[in-house]
Amino acid sequence: QVQLVESGGGSVQRGGSHQLSCTASGTIVSINDMGWFREVVRGQSRELVAVVTASGSKRYGDFVKGRFAISRDNAKNTVSLDMKNLDLHDTAVYFCKAVVIGPDFPATQYWGRGIPVAVSS
């Protein structure tokens, strides 16, 4: 069993900065991709925010436009998202995702419960 626990959600003013973190725990041999997705409207499809592979390759959603930076600590099974110059449209529930390989299961996708970020003017 694998759990993803997100932290760092909350409220931030427009133009401000904020950081999200996610730690994976459980029966983990290795983790392929780790990253963040978001639901701008709850229940609608999640859009890519940022993802980083085990080797460190990074990919960002088009809307990020250089404002966010994803980082990963493989030793701690943690992924972080540093967000700068936040705007109202960044208000969303942010979900951590990890593709985990276990001792007795192949690459399997896991999601965190989601953490809200609210940007106010």
Side-chain angles (χ1 to χ4, degrees), residues 11-22:
S11 299
V12 60
Q13 287 202 319
R14 186 178 188 179
S17 300
H18 208 69
Q19 184 184 64
L20 302 178
S21 292
C22 171

Side-chain angles (χ1 to χ4, degrees), residues 6-91:
E6 300 127 329
S7 62
S11 299
V12 60
Q13 287 202 319
R14 186 178 188 179
S17 300
H18 208 69
Q19 184 184 64
L20 302 178
S21 292
C22 171
T23 300
S25 63
T27 53
I28 297 170
V29 172
S30 63
I31 302 177
N32 291 346
D33 294 359
M34 288 189 85
W36 294 91
F37 289 72
R38 71 183 189 181
E39 286 182 8
V40 175
V41 177
R42 191 74 181 187
Q44 292 197 350
S45 60
R46 296 174 186 174
E47 62 178 350
L48 169 70
V49 179
V51 65
V52 55
T53 67
S55 61
S57 296
K58 301 173 184 178
R59 184 162 51 97
Y60 294 93
D62 290 341
F63 66 88
V64 170
K65 299 186 190 309
R67 301 179 298 132
F68 299 174
I70 191 169
S71 60
R72 175 172 173 168
D73 185 332
N74 289 331
K76 297 180 180 178
N77 291 334
T78 297
V79 63
S80 297
L81 183 70
D82 288 303
M83 303 183 288
K84 301 185 189 304
N85 195 21
L86 285 160
D87 204 345
L88 300 178
H89 59 73
D90 293 314
T91 295

